[in-house]
Amino acid sequence: MCLSGTLEEKLAAIAAAGFDGFELFEPDLVTSWLSPADVRSRAADLGLSIELYQPFRDFEQVDDDQLRANVHRLRRKLDLMAELGVSTLLMCSNVDTAVDDSDARAVDQLGIAAREAADRGISIAYEALAWGRSVSTVDHAWALVRQVDHPALGVCVDSFHILSRGTDPAVLDDIPGEKILFCQLADAPRLQLDVLNWSRHHRVFPGEGDWDLADFVARVIAIGYRGPLSLEVFNDTFRQTSPERTAMDAYRSLVATEGAAFERLGSTSGELPPDRAQRMGFIELAPDSDGRLKAALDALGFERHGAHRRKAVDLYESGNARLIVNRAEAGPRARIRALGFEVEDVAAATDRALALGCEVLPRDHADGEAILNAVSAPNGAEIYFAPRAESGFDWAAEFTLTNDGPQVFHEVDHVVMEQSWQRIDEAKLFYESILGLSVQASSDVPGPDGLVRSLALKGPGGIRVALNVRPLEAAGRPGFADHIALGTDDVLRLAERLADSGVATLPVPDNYYADLDARFRLEPERLERFRRFGILYDRDDSGEFLQLFTAPIDDVVIEIVQRDRDYLGYGAANAPIRLAAQRLLASGGVASAA
Ligand SMILES: O=C(O)c1ccc(O)c(O)c1
Ligand SMILES: [Mg+2]
């Protein structure tokens, strides 16, 4: 149920992503024209084992009439499982037909089920659904299983049902590993929602939500569980998007989680540890070739620049900020084309990305040039692993710099890229698992076309990447842009330079400055200078923040930021102003009430 498609399509996607096996979800079989024997051979042909059949519902704690019907239903399903060659059945705790809460009745009836299953060489994994009528916790399920004391009956542990109830996963320490017959993993965002709807619509793959699934897996392994780790993710988006893509996302999640769990257990048999990206090595743009970007970069003081010895790309440098302008691959929608992340070890970072299901993109490389590898981010941007500039393998040496001017910027402060709503969970996992970034903040920015969800990620070396999800109705509408934020000590001076050289900046309404004055009581002269140049301002206990945006150059905005003291944010309060201004420019409006 993690995937969209028919049973055949799901199996193909699961196999292509690299999984060993799958849980067969009854509705997928019932709606399929494949016979059980067909499913069995199809799975075998794809190299997949059917690890579990599920769900078997509402068996226990019922009255005698219902029990007779349930035993009949169970026998049929056990026969079916024999045809399929599946040896574990998932039994969910009763959510519907239980007539009382008595453990005695549950133990009695689970014993009947265990003996029926054992007769056919099948085991039952009993799972407490968080919304179960009387059995809703894993410790309760385990207490019943222990009393039944039958080798064909154990528990299924599902991280969702345990963590959604706020239960300390340490409860697992009381269950012997061999009595856990199956382990299902799901992460979820923290929501204030009833558990059933939370579970059926909002699960995500481990690493994409708010829980610590690596800890959960480490615990399950520590108590001796050696069965499959299976992803059971009910999610409205995954159920309607490409199954191949979702399966790859799922595979990455499982490998990353397993690797992190092994790390916690002090074992090196997991995946390579993340090569945490240290610094933004470069940003590559492929603008339309009308020279506007070059004019803006010149005005901004990127006076140190030059061409690549062999390729149609230019490098613009200022301090640690390096921009590459690709003259060969200009496109109509010229967004951020590539980001280069400096890593300790390019080969190790590449191996890890490969293990996590990425493909290394083909790249034009000549002898004697630095080795960089690239993979594709969920929004299509190319993500390069680059050697550190100090490493002696600096790719920038391949450029012939023709100018050596003053250094206005110290670094790339952050980048903001657009991300489709369908892939925002995948994107979070991508940046966390491949580059070692972690979520700093998530917010909703009100804009003229709806709320823009913004997810800010941060790396240990100070790299900041924010992803903006464009509102649905705004799809295909102009007024959105990626942005590149450059850090400087003096926004005002740059504002003057931009104004002198005629580079357009984003218009800012006067109402904004009246509001700033009300909120911050700025010195009138300072406020007036902000207003004159369209500078945005924010302040909190840790410091001050000044921002200035160019008008979009193709689909990229250059932002100039000045952080004073320890201000850590991105001027979130100013983001609606930027959205409104971009919309105004995109619709050809002029920034005046007259
Ligand atoms: O939502 C459900 O009904 C359901 C079914 C089977 C499971 O393993 C589960 O965790 C939930
Ligand atoms: Mg489950």
Side-chain angles (χ1 to χ4, degrees):
M1 78 291 292
C2 301
L3 303 173
S4 68
T6 62
L7 183 54
E8 291 94 318
E9 289 164 349
K10 292 181 189 199
L11 296 188
I14 290 166
F19 286 94
D20 301 314
F22 62 96
E23 298 179 35
L24 182 57
F25 189 45
E26 185 164 274
D28 281 331
L29 180 70
V30 175
T31 56
S32 172
W33 279 264
L34 294 179
S35 70
D38 290 341
V39 173
R40 183 180 191 158
S41 61
R42 174 78 58 117
D45 290 347
L46 290 167
L48 295 172
S49 60
I50 314 179
E51 298 288 350
L52 179 107
Y53 186 86
Q54 76 132 318
F56 195 95
R57 297 189 189 275
D58 301 327
F59 184 85
E60 81 290 20
Q61 288 181 325
V62 296
D63 65 25
D64 289 349
D65 279 351
Q66 187 65 54
L67 182 63
R68 269 189 293 280
N70 286 355
V71 169
H72 166 81
R73 185 161 56 95
L74 179 63
R75 287 178 178 158
R76 287 295 165 90
K77 296 300 175 185
L78 293 170
D79 291 343
L80 167 65
M81 288 174 64
E83 278 184 78
L84 288 162
V86 186
S87 59
T88 309
L89 173 68
L90 178 103
M91 182 174 278
C92 300
S93 61
N94 199 321
V95 299
D96 186 20
T97 54
V99 290
D100 64 30
D101 285 355
S102 94
D103 280 6
R105 189 189 290 262
V107 168
D108 195 39
Q109 297 181 349
L110 287 172
I112 292 170
R115 289 188 290 278
E116 290 286 338
D119 286 347
R120 292 157 179 88
I122 289 173
S123 300
I124 294 178
Y126 182 54
E127 177 186 42
L129 298 186
W131 54 95
R133 196 129 174 192
S134 105
V135 180
S136 57
T137 62
V138 69
D139 46 320
H140 194 179
W142 162 234
L144 299 175
V145 165
R146 195 180 49 200
Q147 287 175 68
V148 174
D149 192 22
H150 192 289
L153 183 71
V155 293
C156 166
V157 296
D158 176 331
S159 62
F160 182 88
H161 298 295
I162 296 170
L163 301 175
S164 65
R165 299 181 58 101
T167 306
D168 184 343
V171 290
L172 295 173
D173 298 349
D174 296 332
I175 311 176
E178 68 276 8
K179 290 304 279 183
I180 298 179
L181 299 188
F182 208 74
C183 177
Q184 295 175 320
L185 304 174
D187 200 344
R190 254 178 222 108
L191 297 173
Q192 295 292 327
L193 194 67
D194 64 281
V195 276
L196 190 150
N197 280 299
W198 191 11
S199 175
R200 294 253 173 99
H201 303 283
H202 300 283
R203 292 187 184 205
V204 284
F205 294 114
E208 298 179 348
D210 290 327
W211 295 335
D212 186 353
L213 268 292
D215 170 73
F216 189 91
V217 171
R219 275 175 194 285
V220 172
I221 294 172
I223 59 177
Y225 174 71
R226 293 295 180 268
L229 296 174
S230 183
L231 298 167
E232 191 197 39
V233 171
F234 302 83
N235 178 292
D236 295 353
T237 305
F238 299 155
R239 282 297 295 261
Q240 56 176 303
T241 49
S242 145
E244 292 80 17
R245 182 96 182 242
T246 306
M248 275 314 310
D249 178 30
Y251 180 79
R252 172 169 307 145
S253 159
L254 196 50
V255 173
T257 306
E258 192 183 32
F262 276 120
E263 240 182 279
R264 308 257 178 121
L265 293 167
S267 155
T268 50
S269 60
E271 284 310 318
L272 296 164
D275 189 335
R276 302 192 186 284
Q278 294 299 316
R279 203 165 62 189
M280 186 74 76
F282 65 87
I283 298 170
E284 180 176 338
L285 301 168
D288 287 340
S289 45
D290 65 357
R292 284 174 63 220
L293 178 64
K294 188 172 177 343
L297 294 179
D298 284 347
L300 284 169
F302 275 83
E303 282 162 20
R304 190 174 152 79
H305 58 82
H308 192 270
R309 289 199 297 250
R310 204 168 55 78
K311 303 181 195 173
V313 291
D314 295 322
L315 170 66
Y316 288 80
E317 267 190 327
S318 181
N320 285 327
R322 290 167 155 188
L323 303 184
I324 291 177
V325 178
N326 191 322
R327 283 177 271 119
E329 295 181 39
R333 271 171 50 84
R335 296 183 169 277
I336 292 176
R337 185 180 181 280
L339 295 176
F341 290 89
E342 291 188 355
V343 294
E344 204 52 57
D345 181 341
V346 171
T350 308
D351 284 347
R352 180 175 165 82
L354 287 169
L356 289 166
C358 291
E359 280 171 33
V360 172
L361 300 171
R363 188 170 171 268
D364 170 16
H365 175 264
D367 276 354
E369 293 179 356
I371 295 176
L372 282 72
N373 289 323
V375 298
S376 186
N379 71 350
E382 295 180 1
I383 301 297
Y384 281 83
F385 305 120
R388 309 241 315 267
E390 303 79 13
S391 67
F393 298 102
D394 189 10
W395 51 269
E398 295 157 23
F399 289 80
T400 311
L401 294 181
T402 47
N403 247 318
D404 206 348
Q407 310 283 293
V408 184
F409 298 105
H410 20 262
E411 61 190 354
V412 173
D413 186 89
H414 65 275
V415 296
V416 182
M417 295 193 292
E418 188 173 322
Q419 176 63 57
S420 70
W421 65 271
Q422 298 96 324
R423 300 290 167 199
I424 186 71
D425 298 313
E426 175 188 335
K428 172 179 186 281
L429 176 68
F430 175 89
Y431 290 100
E432 288 183 338
S433 63
I434 309 278
L435 293 164
L437 308 188
S438 51
V439 171
Q440 184 186 6
S442 170
S443 59
D444 290 315
V445 180
D449 295 306
L451 289 181
V452 176
R453 182 172 161 210
S454 181
L455 184 73
L457 297 132
K458 194 170 189 295
I463 287 173
R464 299 185 186 89
V465 175
L467 302 173
N468 279 353
V469 178
R470 187 197 279 250
L472 277 186
E473 287 295 314
R477 258 192 239 169
F480 280 77
D482 288 344
H483 41 133
I484 297 172
L486 303 167
T488 178
D489 293 332
D490 196 346
V491 163
L492 272 164
R493 190 165 63 92
L494 282 171
E496 282 167 11
R497 286 177 63 153
L498 285 177
D500 289 347
S501 46
V503 173
T505 53
L506 274 192
V508 179
D510 283 345
N511 295 341
Y512 169 77
Y513 293 101
D515 179 59
L516 263 196
D517 190 32
R519 288 191 290 138
F520 295 120
R521 285 205 197 198
L522 296 174
E523 229 180 279
E525 271 169 43
R526 198 171 179 218
L527 185 69
E528 175 50 27
R529 261 185 300 160
F530 288 172
R531 198 190 63 77
R532 177 148 31 101
F533 293 113
I535 291 170
L536 304 180
Y537 176 84
D538 191 29
R539 184 168 79 203
D540 64 19
D541 292 342
S542 57
E544 284 191 324
F545 190 58
L546 275 62
Q547 298 167 278
L548 175 68
F549 295 90
T550 67
I553 299 164
D554 300 329
D555 281 327
V556 176
V557 155
I558 299 177
E559 176 182 356
I560 299 148
V561 306
Q562 180 178 336
R563 292 175 186 276
D564 288 331
R565 303 209 311 277
D566 298 319
Y567 184 95
L568 290 178
Y570 296 88
N574 296 329
I577 307 294
R578 178 176 51 78
L579 290 174
Q582 282 174 209
R583 169 67 126 65
L584 178 80
L585 292 184
S587 45
V590 283
S592 119

